[in-house]
């Protein structure tokens, strides 16, 4: 968890709608009905934090050949 600014916290709350729409489109909404807003925000924050960390890491590397690296995570 990061120490969020008011704008970052609002952006995470605003992302709940998009997250719910994606879950619905994938048929995955049911398991999330009983989750709290804080738990949903934690999932969104984890995804955003991972995305930003990856983008920063990629930006720090000079090699950009367009290849997708092997990914050990199966999804």
């Amino acid at each position: 968890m990061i120490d969020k600014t008011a704008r970052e916290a609002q952006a995470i709350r605003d992302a709940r709608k998009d997250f719910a729409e994606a879950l619905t489109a994938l048929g995955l909404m049911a398991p999330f009905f009983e989750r709290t807003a804080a738990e949903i925000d934690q999932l969104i924050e984890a995804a955003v934090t991972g995305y930003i960390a990856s983008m920063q890491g990629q930006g720090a590397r000079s090699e950009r050949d367009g290849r997708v690296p092997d990914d050990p995570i199966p999804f």
Side-chain angles (χ1 to χ4, degrees):
M1 292 287 227
I2 60 171
D3 186 19
K4 295 179 284 299
T5 66
R7 286 184 178 185
E8 289 168 332
Q10 183 63 51
I12 289 172
R13 286 190 300 274
D14 291 345
R16 289 178 194 161
K17 181 177 181 277
D18 294 318
F19 185 68
E21 288 173 356
L23 289 172
T24 300
L26 294 169
L28 299 171
M29 188 60 162
F32 291 87
F33 281 135
E34 301 300 320
R35 296 292 177 194
T36 66
E39 290 171 325
I40 297 299
D41 291 354
Q42 185 177 354
L43 292 170
I44 294 168
E45 185 177 333
V48 170
T49 300
Y51 176 87
I52 290 170
S54 176
M55 292 299 290
Q56 289 172 337
Q58 291 178 59
R61 292 191 297 268
S62 60
E63 183 178 344
R64 294 182 184 219
D65 62 6
R67 292 180 297 155
V68 176
D70 291 332
D71 192 348
I73 299 175
F75 54 84

